[in-house]
Amino acid sequence: MRSDGADPSEDVKQKALCGAITVHHNHLSQESLSFPDWYGLATLFYESFAHCRDETSYWGRVLDKRKITEIRQNNHQALEMNATNLLFSILTNNNTPNPSDIATFFRKEVFNRAMRIQAIVEYEYKWGTPSHTNPVTCDNTSVAGLGTRLNNFIDQAATELARVI
């Protein structure tokens, strides 16, 4: 329940000192790995999987712990806002409906792909079943369906964001 990362028990912290821990958790929001997820990976865990209700899954592992700590100290929220603005601009220029809501929803995806481009993290995603209701548009266009359609735009925004990370 912390805003800066997971709050594992003392038992989990002690076990993490003895070896690599892989975390599997759900993301009810359907959003990608958050910066607190990355910070937990940089400080305690080996890798993380986030599973969503439409069967979308996100996976990550930190390659550059120093850079994750630096991003945390230098306001990762500003980078997420930059990700939102970059994707919003691309979506608007391509006449995509609901560009503000969509850009806000996929900001973490843009940020994670940008960190992957800069070799700060290893990151992968797998879009799930496109038949579930989308929390962004509240229709039958699932996050998986929307993500699949917008992949190129997300990649464009990530490439631009990678230049400033």
Side-chain angles (χ1 to χ4, degrees), residues 51-117:
H51 305 282
C52 303
R53 65 186 164 105
D54 73 349
E55 300 172 358
T56 292
S57 59
Y58 305 103
W59 169 84
R61 182 181 303 146
V62 171
L63 297 173
D64 188 341
K65 293 177 181 185
R66 180 199 56 78
K67 187 66 174 176
I68 292 292
T69 300
E70 178 185 311
I71 290 170
R72 180 175 184 246
Q73 292 170 345
N74 293 330
N75 193 359
H76 65 87
Q77 292 95 345
L79 288 170
E80 280 192 23
M81 180 59 73
N82 197 351
T84 304
N85 292 339
L86 288 166
L87 185 56
F88 174 80
S89 177
I90 291 167
L91 295 173
T92 301
N93 290 337
N94 286 279
N95 300 313
T96 304
N98 302 321
S100 179
D101 292 341
I102 292 170
T104 299
F105 181 83
F106 284 106
R107 75 195 182 285
K108 294 175 188 173
E109 184 66 23
V110 170
F111 185 44
N112 294 340
R113 292 185 195 190
M115 289 195 300
R116 177 178 63 189
I117 290 167

